[in-house]
Amino acid sequence: MENLENIVEPKIFNIKQNKNSNVSGILNVIENGEHILFNLKRIFYVHGAEIGTIRGNHANMKQAMIILSITGSHKIDLEINSRHYNFNMSSINEYLVVPKKTWIKYEVTSPNSILLVLCHDVFKSNDYINDYNLFKKNESML
């Protein structure tokens, strides 16, 4: 697995299913060091949103994250260094690594969806840029 600092663009990774899964269910494992590229300090999840709900619309300057679509599907639009990335996440068997200094916007595209986000730091309001024009203006300095 790559080091968090070496990931400069968003990237999808697969989660291998446990070979011991059986009729009692499928076990997917996410482990620190193999899947999580940082010391985990914060977890949050978004649920109960209607189809078409837009969330995010901000950039984190120092916060990297891992995103998983636990149930349902989500359209995730990212921008980093003037490059645009679009992901449609609907599989519990994959996760998206989002580097710091990335503009993120996501849309709920199915009912009863849950989006799980793992972060390498606690919430700090001064880490957020909520104005897209300000993000673009300062992008070269980020």
Side-chain angles (χ1 to χ4, degrees), residues 67-129:
I67 298 175
L68 298 101
S69 181
I70 301 299
T71 63
S73 59
H74 304 85
K75 178 183 172 196
I76 301 176
D77 297 320
L78 305 173
E79 182 177 343
I80 185 168
N81 297 324
S82 295
R83 291 190 61 196
H84 295 265
Y85 301 85
N86 305 100
F87 299 94
N88 290 307
M89 297 194 65
S90 60
S91 173
I92 190 72
N93 297 319
E94 63 186 19
Y95 61 97
L96 173 64
V97 175
V98 179
K100 59 187 175 183
K101 302 177 185 176
T102 301
W103 186 266
I104 183 168
K105 178 175 89 170
Y106 55 94
E107 177 181 354
V108 175
T109 57
S110 69
N112 303 314
S113 63
I114 300 173
L115 190 74
L116 178 69
V117 183
L118 313 175
C119 304
H120 90 282
D121 205 355
V122 296
F123 175 80
K124 297 177 183 171
S125 61
N126 62 351
D127 184 44
Y128 285 72
I129 293 181

Side-chain angles (χ1 to χ4, degrees), residues 15-22 24-30 93:
I15 301 170
K16 295 178 184 169
Q17 291 182 1
N18 188 308
K19 293 183 174 88
N20 295 323
S21 297
N22 56 38
S24 65
I26 299 169
L27 178 65
N28 287 4
V29 177
I30 300 172
N93 297 319

Side-chain angles (χ1 to χ4, degrees), residues 47-79:
H47 63 100
E50 295 182 13
I51 294 174
T53 299
I54 303 290
R55 302 275 313 203
N57 276 326
H58 67 268
N60 292 92
M61 304 320 310
K62 298 179 182 175
Q63 182 81 262
M65 58 185 80
I66 292 174
I67 298 175
L68 298 101
S69 181
I70 301 299
T71 63
S73 59
H74 304 85
K75 178 183 172 196
I76 301 176
D77 297 320
L78 305 173
E79 182 177 343

